[in-house]
Amino acid sequence: MTAVATPDAAPSAPAARPAPRWVRPSLAVLLVATAALYLWDLSASGWANAFYSAAAQAGSQSWKALFFGSSDAANGITVDKTPAALWVMSLSARLFGVSAWSILVPQALMGVGSTWLLYATVRRASGAAAGLIAGAVLTLTPAAALIFRFNNPDALLVLLLVAGAYATVRAIEKASPSWLALAGVAVGFGFLAKMLQAFLVLPAFALAYLVAAPAPVGKRLLHLLAGLGAIVASAGWYLAAVAWWPAADRPYIGGSQHNSLLELTLGYNGFGRITGDETGSVGGSRGGGWGSTGLFRLFGSEMAGGIAWLLPAAVLGLAAGLWFTRRAPRTDRGRASLLLWGGWLLITAAVFSFMGGIIHPYYTVALAPAIAALVGIAAVQLWRIRRDPTAIGLLSGGVALTTVTSYLLLNGSWQPWLAPTVLVLGIFSAIALFFVQQFGRIAAVLGLVVLLAGTGAYSVATAATPHSGAIPSAGPSTRRMFGGGAGGLLGASEAGPNLTALLQQSGNHRWAAATVGSNNAAGYQLGSGKPVLAVGGFNGTDPYPTLEQFEQYVRDGQIRYFLGEGMTMRGASSSGSDNAEQIAQWVAENYRSTTVDGVAVYDLAG
């Protein structure tokens, strides 16, 4: 917002000035606090998402499993994502052994790295104070406190996208194609973490560069083409490698119906998420099973607790920033930063709000860096031009808006005193800001406390709650506001001691056992340390293996046991293959079961 001609206006390039003495200690405190929040009692969640933990275990035992992201070390079938996040977990497990700590600590460190990179990115255009506020908001976003203590791919995705934003900001400063290519590499590897979701930020990155880079328009377009080439190279090499690799010599691509990573990219994990037409999905597939869509979806019962606290303030800050920079030079870095973060927020929020396919509340962590950056930028820049009545009115309005949002989210929550406390402090702070000459820094500090109070309390409660299963959600374990529990859904099976011993003594077989569904297989595999074949992949709806393949595996002595009587995950609202049902039925018809620790066990070698 450097276009306003006031003595307090921020310079065009605050990054060029020496940092005040308080900056480094403040940054150190922020990063240490972030690490403490994300590492505190981390092992309480156990394996967290056992689906990915089992794949990390497999990658620690087999390099091929690591490269492809296989669910088991015998390389039967992969997880239903590209495997970059698994590479990190698998390498950690190889170095430090397979444990909850070796799998989850890298996620927490990604959170610390994301906070640091966000600070560095915002600081370059808006100053250290804005960067510190942005970093604090990111750390204290409940969706971030959830994901950076969990082992879903979103932690790596956020880190890489923030790295891409940093490289884009550096590229804009001097119209640098090298920095823009680095941004493309970051986004390309983001694709390898969570596929097409990584590309949602690209329009914002491109717009900011095209508008603000100090070079002729022709060069700017050529630089963007070079950045696009870096994305294609950094993401496409893996697609090409999997396509080139003989299908008979690699695991089946989980989540696809035709053993194709490109199909998985464009279908189940791609445009199917937008349209809802996802073959193999359980509960969705044009059936409206993933909640109502619309403009206020992010404020609904499932998603609000994770992300909505400062979302209205961020939108207000974006509008204010664009207004105050409307007469700034084309190359103004402050406005370029607003275009980058604002485009990130609006595009990603729109997709999440209206997509008809599979979506889970924790996806909203992808909005957290943009919200945090916009709040930090707007708070500091409006404060710098506080002599302008419009600016101080917007700053006061942002505090009031956050107060109302926090009150509504906290009202009736696990701490009944918190909502009215935030309301009283927020009203007082908003009023005090109108009389800023009298209250000065007291009003500013109180306003910052109000901004962080609700979201911070909810983040601490999220960190204090163990989370497991495939669909974790933010919030305290005793929350009553939002739908569903705070722990998670689609948890893994747990192998009892007798079943674990049986699998460990299964003999020299490719797989110690087979069972329907990846979550079932993951629990048995993590308990025994032996490969367990996930028949039908994650949902039990992938066409691998076929009945004929399974029968051949049994004849060749590659599978010792089948676990679970008639287990299936298909239902009236699902789609995909029924191979898993056929296999379960064939096993039940041809083999006698015994019960071990409450699980039906079929000895396929008998």
Side-chain angles (χ1 to χ4, degrees), residues 161 197 199-201 298 342-355 359 363-368 370:
L161 294 187
Q197 184 182 333
F199 294 165
L200 293 178
V201 301
L298 297 176
W344 176 333
L345 174 62
L346 296 179
I347 293 170
T348 306
V351 171
F352 287 173
S353 296
F354 293 98
M355 60 189 285
I359 185 171
Y363 287 10
T364 57
V365 71
L367 298 168

Side-chain angles (χ1 to χ4, degrees), residues 316 378-380 382-383 386 390-400 433:
L316 178 64
V380 170
L382 289 173
W383 176 256
R386 58 190 178 274
T390 303
I392 198 62
L394 287 169
L395 188 60
S396 176
V399 172
L433 283 170

Side-chain angles (χ1 to χ4, degrees), residues 66-313:
L66 183 149
F67 180 78
F68 288 106
S70 300
S71 291
D72 60 87
N75 290 291
I77 189 169
T78 70
V79 301
D80 57 359
K81 299 288 188 300
T82 37
L86 291 174
W87 294 343
V88 178
M89 288 184 273
S90 297
L91 290 173
S92 177
R94 276 182 176 267
L95 289 172
F96 304 108
V98 180
S99 69
W101 279 99
S102 66
I103 289 172
L104 295 179
V105 166
Q107 319 308 314
L109 296 181
M110 289 176 196
V112 177
S114 297
T115 295
W116 175 71
L117 274 174
L118 183 65
Y119 158 79
T121 307
V122 173
R123 178 189 67 86
R124 296 197 71 85
S126 302
L132 289 168
I133 293 173
V137 171
L138 176 60
T139 292
L140 295 177
T141 298
L146 171 69
I147 287 301
F148 290 126
R149 295 173 54 86
F150 207 71
N151 60 325
N152 280 8
D154 303 74
L156 181 59
L157 175 69
V158 169
L159 174 64
L160 289 169
L161 294 187
V162 176
Y166 176 81
T168 302
V169 167
R170 294 295 302 267
I172 291 171
E173 291 174 359
K174 296 183 179 180
S176 169
S178 299
W179 276 108
L180 198 60
L182 285 176
V185 170
V187 174
F189 273 89
F191 169 87
L192 296 183
K194 211 176 178 195
M195 309 189 91
L196 291 184
Q197 184 182 333
F199 294 165
L200 293 178
V201 301
L202 288 179
F205 289 7
L207 177 64
Y209 189 85
L210 189 60
V211 168
V217 65
K219 281 191 176 181
R220 281 176 269 157
L221 290 172
L222 287 175
H223 293 172
L224 288 174
L225 286 176
L228 179 61
I231 295 171
V232 171
S234 56
W237 72 269
Y238 187 78
L239 291 173
V242 174
W244 167 81
W245 206 291
D249 193 38
R250 62 162 171 78
Y252 185 92
I253 304 301
S256 74
Q257 295 295 305
H258 299 93
N259 198 13
S260 166
L261 185 57
L262 185 60
E263 176 201 335
L264 178 65
T265 300
L266 299 178
Y268 182 78
N269 281 334
F271 297 109
R273 299 283 173 128
I274 304 297
T275 65
D277 186 11
E278 300 171 282
T279 303
S281 170
V282 175
S285 192
R286 294 189 182 274
W290 304 109
S292 59
T293 61
L295 190 61
F296 298 102
R297 188 183 206 179
L298 297 176
F299 297 94
S301 61
E302 290 297 320
M303 297 186 180
I307 201 64
W309 305 85
L310 290 166
L311 179 55

Side-chain angles (χ1 to χ4, degrees), residues 466-473 485-491:
H467 293 86
S468 62
I471 312 177
S473 52
L489 299 174
L490 298 181

Side-chain angles (χ1 to χ4, degrees), residues 506 509 554-555 557 559-562 586-587 590-593 601-606:
S506 59
H509 298 269
V554 173
R555 286 194 294 269
I559 307 173
R560 178 61 192 270
Y561 298 108
F562 186 86
W586 178 81
V587 169
N590 289 277
Y591 293 88
R592 181 177 299 175
S593 70
V601 177
Y602 297 85
D603 188 347
L604 303 183

